[in-house]
Amino acid sequence: MATRLHRYSSTKPLHSISSLSFSFCSLATPQSQPTQEAINPAISCNDNENHEQVHKLRVLLQQGRMESAYSLARSLVVSQSPFSSPCELLSFLSVACPSIKLNLCNMLIAICCKSKMHSEAAELYGLMRRDGVVPNFDCVRMLIESLLERKQFDKILDLFNEMVDLGFRPDRYMYGKAAQSAVKIGKTKRAMELLESMKSRGVSPNVFVYNVVMGGLCKENRIKDAEKLFDEMCNRKLWANKVTYNTLIDGYCKVGEVEAAFNLRERMKKDNVEPSVVTFNSLLNGLCRAGRMEEARRLLDEMKENGFVPDGFTYSILFDGLVKSGDGEGAMHLYTEASGKGVKINNYTSSILINGLCKEGRVYKAEELLMKLMDEGLVPDEVIFNTLVNGYCRVDDISGAISTIERMESRGLRPNFVTFNSLIDKFCGMHKMEEAQEWVQKMVEKGVRPSLETYNSLINGYGKLCSFDSCFQILEEMEGTGIKPNVVSYGSLINCLCKNDKTLEAEIVLGDMIGRGISPNAQIYNMLIDGCCMMGKLKDAFRFLDEMLISEISPTLVTYNSLINGLCKKGKLKEAEDILHQLKNSGYSPDVITYNSLISGYSNAGNAKKCRELYEAMKMLGIKPTTKTFHLLISGCSKEGMDHLQTLFNEMLEMNLAPDRVVYNAMILCLAENGDLEKALSLQEEMLSHAVLPEKMTYDALILGCLKKGKLSEVNSLVNDMKPKGLKPTSETYNKLIKGYCDLKDYHGAYLWYKKMLENGFSPNVSLQDDLTSGLRQEGRLQEAQIICSDINSNGMDDWSTSEQRSAEAKM
């Protein structure tokens, strides 16, 4: 029969049994397990009536009257009298009549399986295998069903493997259940092997097997492999059912291929396969993950039009999508709509909505919602209260968080490590380490053991305060309490050390980490590489890169970006371009950070042409520049002329990037230097209208422009305008003023600025004093020239110039 389990001729002796049978069943100990030698019929069956029953069972089995034997055996097994277990009955009858052992074994296992005596069935199977008895197909099938009922999927695989080793040929049912079990325990590769084994042995896979394996592949996001199986199934003329389509649609949505999911739904319609609530929920989930909420709303309407009533899970998906897209108000409206239609909002759905509101910073609205839900009969659990505690911490309302913990306890709910960790992490983030430690103590007093996350928060908190001794003490304390630090524990410490230019100490921590058996990941090496690059230690940075590669840790985009940035800072632009090629060859695409580093390097090198080329390359690749990109471009291309800068400025506005103070200053300076004072002043007005406050550099640039145009009254207005804004002219400002007035031959005006400069504690540079003194003498202002020379002498600045001419002039 095709559906039977056939047995191959096997060269393996029956007593040569693998230990797999013992791995999935719990046999009685040798002391309690009856053996053939230990059974004493007189002791085991001392009642005449019971003895008659057992004798009758043996006769029925010997005569092949299986139905009658089954009924009698069942009454003996279920009543558990006169034997303590089915294994004892089997052992007794096997001694009395060995010829009936095989039939009796199969029969007793069938009885136990059908009577839900799963442990007894497993013990019987173990006893059979130990004695070299092989069960029949029906027996194996029932054992599989028994194990399925108890979700013992690993033991199903053990049983399957043992049967194959014994020379049996599994049928479609056994293959299906084995593949299902493999997927359930995350062994998708094994499920694929089972499918291939079916085909190679001539056992045609059915839709169930394909669905199971495709489901496993989709769980691992291997949607392309699942597609291949779908096509293979269709080529075998097997019709995809609702489960098939739902499995693939859900798989597409989870990897973000929403269009492919909807295309498959259209194919589902053509194949006359009716959708289900699961179909719509999967599609809704895909749209919500992609932030396509308008389409999700339309799909919800379509779902209702098709006669499906949205369930709690449907609303959970929509709530999650709305709050993640920043539409907390929309989530609240949807909640009101669902409540009005009598949809029961359970704790899971409520927690999603409350969590979304809390993440938006609307914890007080979340509190209002909770009160309303409680009025409607919701009993909040620890998860909901923990969400609120975290929400209060997010909005810096520590008293609200503590109050929520107290409310939680008043309702008979016990705070757990998640509850305390939210508060402890917040104190650590606020650099309030004493308060954090106090709450760790309260945590312990409440009988809650600090978790790995608790200690990681403390390490991060102390690290940011550069209290590295405390960090090491916590690592020792963790070891003492039996909690092993993980890569996050060491990562927090290494990151803080690197940010404080302590790369040598960070490397020591790395060595300690590896010594404790904790393997560093790419993020750890990225911290070290970036720290070295920021300090200009490029040799060390590349040494860490070599360590990564030796450890078979693939560099990430962050790794390459750190190296490019470090090389550009050092002016090693050719080497930076080489790393860019390595980045591309490794399968990564450069991002805005990559290009900003390169543009910065070429900008500092004065290579405006290369800056423009890199900018154009960015646009070609669809990489959107940032405000920082334009800082670098405007600075690097300032000598290219105002037209070019204006083009960059306009493009920045077209990209909806708001110019900041750095951009405005650069543009105003360039306009001023090019003599376009009117546009420079207009840009300053625009700057103020966008609430971007000018700074000293802004005024210096405008003063320069006014001086170039000879608008001296505007110069005075600009200097006077600085004071109310808390800006004071610096030495550089005064030097610009003196030089500007000298260039305009207004030496008296320059002299007045010179006096103000001295009054504010600054001294002009050498060449300006030369120019000013010479100019004053030419205009006949010998007294002012003499004053300047006297100031120089009184300030001990005789060596300020060795010019004989100047010395002579000073004596006149």
Side-chain angles (χ1 to χ4, degrees), residues 270-287:
K270 289 178 183 177
D271 289 347
N272 295 316
V273 179
E274 291 293 324
S276 64
V277 173
V278 174
T279 317
F280 282 101
N281 281 348
S282 293
L283 291 167
L284 282 169
N285 192 33
L287 291 171

Side-chain angles (χ1 to χ4, degrees), residues 790-811:
S790 299
D791 289 338
I792 293 166
N793 292 330
S794 64
N795 288 314
M797 297 174 63
D798 298 271
D799 60 344
W800 162 82
S801 174
T802 58
S803 170
E804 292 180 5
Q805 182 181 359
R806 187 182 302 111
S807 178
E809 289 170 351
K811 294 177 182 178

Side-chain angles (χ1 to χ4, degrees), residues 420-430 436 453 456-457 460:
F420 289 106
N421 283 349
S422 292
L423 206 53
I424 291 165
D425 189 62
K426 182 61 185 178
F427 280 123
C428 290
M430 296 167 68
E453 291 75 19
N456 285 350
S457 292
N460 196 40

